[in-house]
Amino acid sequence: MSKSQVSTAANEQQPPAKRRQKSMAKIKLSTIAIYIGVFALVVTAVTVGYREPKKTSATSSVTNSSTIAEIDQTSVDNIVATTVAADVAETTNLPIANSVSSMAVSAVAKNEFLQSDTASVTKPQIIESTEANRKVINYTVKAEDTIDSLAAKFNISKQTIKWANDLTSDNIITDTVLKILPFDGVLYSVKDGDTIDSIASKYKVDKNRLVLKNDLDVGGLTPGTQIILPNGVLPTEERPGYVAPVTYFAYAGTGAGFGGRTWYIASGTGPCPSYAYGNCTCYAYNRRVQLGLPVGTNWGNAGSWAWYARQAGLTVNGTPTIGAVIQDSGHVAIVENVLANGDLSISEMNAYVYGGGFNIVSGRIVPAGNVGQYLYIH
């Protein structure tokens, strides 16, 4: 019997289980060899073909078309390489099939993100930020500047410049600093109790523009902050140089009076040596005596008191003090107090005002703005 016959016979004599084990061993070795080959192919494909997409800089609003094409081509190569690798791995049931497949999905996602991101970079800026257009700038006046030239230079009205800088005339001084608004309107400091509606109504401002120009839709109004009222109009009493009108009252004698709030104090006149009963001169005389201050017994009508007081050696000037006689062209009174804000509190008689009249002592607050118009006998 030949060797081959002996070998065949021996195999036939072996138990079936042993024969199956040898056959499976041969199959496993061949499968492993295939896996190794496919694995090498996958690794090569992933290593050589896959490159993670790179984002481009977003500092420019215009991207070169060749750069975009290169990005797109790189992204497509990445997707193709990883997708092929995933297909091969899954077809051959490699253990790394899930990992490779995940790489393919990631490559697609990154490519979509990159394209979307690149597209957003390449879009031109349609709406510019208006932050710079809302700021008040400080401008130092040059020798050649005028209100008219500055208005033309900054494209705003002369009135806007004058209101923002409390200017009562067109005169401006070199090297002074002016506030220049970005558009016509009023520079306004928010006060407690202000609302968008109240400001819009008082200064004749469009409410929507007020909110938009000052970003009030986010934080609302904050007391103490400055906002710009677009095309706002200052009320007359808030305009530069405004002086409130003074209300004058008539007296028994001549003269315009002192103006201001009045009230009743008392009625009746004390003894007067040579002054008319119930008149301002009689009361002023009695009040000076009561305060222990010098006063003439015959200084005539109210309009002549300052002259006679000088002749008597008394000080007469434009500065009020407590107890001084305050005199205009036809009336006298007594300064009772000099208030902290510059107003005067006075007492008087024969003032035809609320709380006063013939032979009636009344009080009055003389506004600080009027104080310098009169003479004071000390």
Side-chain angles (χ1 to χ4, degrees), residues 261-265 345-346 353-356 361-365:
R261 178 172 60 87
T262 63
W263 62 92
Y264 172 85
I265 295 177
S345 177
I346 67 172
V353 295
Y354 175 79
V361 180
S362 58
R364 184 196 303 263
I365 295 296

Side-chain angles (χ1 to χ4, degrees), residues 28-360:
K28 288 183 178 179
L29 289 174
S30 62
T31 300
I32 291 172
I34 293 172
Y35 278 4
I36 292 173
V38 173
F39 180 76
L41 172 63
V42 172
V43 171
T44 301
V46 173
T47 303
V48 176
Y50 177 75
R51 286 182 294 172
E52 184 174 343
K54 295 181 179 180
K55 293 177 66 174
T56 56
S57 172
T59 57
S60 174
S61 62
V62 179
T63 304
N64 187 283
S65 59
S66 62
T67 304
I68 297 175
E70 182 181 347
I71 292 172
D72 290 343
Q73 184 60 46
T74 300
S75 301
V76 170
D77 291 344
N78 293 342
I79 294 173
V80 170
T82 53
T83 302
V84 169
D87 288 342
V88 172
E90 290 175 356
T91 302
T92 58
N93 292 318
L94 281 178
I96 63 170
N98 290 338
S99 297
V100 177
S101 179
S102 296
M103 289 174 63
V105 173
S106 296
V108 172
K110 288 182 179 180
N111 178 68
E112 292 296 330
F113 174 79
L114 181 61
Q115 288 183 353
S116 174
D117 192 51
T118 303
S120 67
V121 171
T122 58
K123 289 179 182 178
Q125 188 173 1
I126 297 174
I127 302 177
E128 294 183 0
S129 171
T130 58
E131 180 65 25
N133 297 327
R134 296 174 182 165
K135 291 183 177 179
V136 177
I137 65 172
N138 293 321
Y139 178 81
T140 302
V141 177
K142 301 178 178 59
E144 65 274 14
D145 287 333
T146 65
I147 285 288
D148 290 286
S149 67
L150 292 179
K153 178 177 181 178
F154 294 102
N155 195 29
I156 55 177
S157 68
K158 291 168 50 177
Q159 180 175 265
T160 293
I161 296 176
K162 293 170 72 173
W163 283 355
N165 296 278
D166 199 28
L167 299 176
T168 57
S169 72
D170 288 357
N171 296 325
I172 52 177
I173 302 173
T174 302
D175 294 330
T176 58
V177 178
L178 297 179
K179 295 176 182 178
I180 303 296
L181 274 58
F183 44 82
D184 279 332
V186 174
L187 186 61
Y188 179 75
S189 295
V190 179
K191 302 175 180 61
D192 287 329
D194 280 341
T195 65
I196 291 173
D197 286 328
S198 67
I199 293 175
S201 175
K202 182 177 182 179
Y203 296 94
K204 299 178 173 27
V205 182
D206 180 84
K207 185 166 63 175
N208 294 326
R209 292 193 66 205
L210 174 63
V211 171
L212 178 64
K213 290 290 188 180
N214 297 278
D215 286 335
L216 300 181
D217 53 334
V218 179
L221 295 171
T222 302
T225 61
Q226 286 191 322
I227 60 176
I228 302 174
L229 314 182
N231 291 326
V233 178
L234 272 181
T236 302
E237 64 272 15
E238 294 184 20
R239 296 180 184 181
Y242 171 77
V243 177
V246 178
T247 302
Y248 292 100
F249 301 92
Y251 291 86
T254 60
F258 304 122
R261 178 172 60 87
T262 63
W263 62 92
Y264 172 85
I265 295 177
S267 298
T269 305
C272 301
S274 57
Y275 300 110
Y277 173 85
N279 284 343
C280 62
T281 50
C282 184
Y283 171 75
Y285 171 85
N286 278 293
R287 181 63 174 147
R288 287 278 290 189
V289 171
Q290 186 181 31
L291 293 172
L293 298 173
V295 60
T297 57
N298 190 12
W299 282 354
N301 293 328
S304 63
W305 272 43
W307 187 88
Y308 280 109
R310 286 192 181 98
Q311 301 307 307
L314 302 183
T315 299
V316 179
N317 57 28
T319 303
T321 58
I322 295 176
V325 176
I326 176 174
Q327 177 198 321
D328 67 4
S329 60
H331 187 65
V332 289
I334 302 297
V335 177
E336 300 291 342
N337 197 8
V338 179
L339 305 180
N341 64 353
D343 291 353
L344 300 182
S345 177
I346 67 172
S347 62
E348 57 192 333
M349 178 173 277
N350 200 24
Y352 286 87
V353 295
Y354 175 79
F358 177 76
N359 201 35
I360 296 175

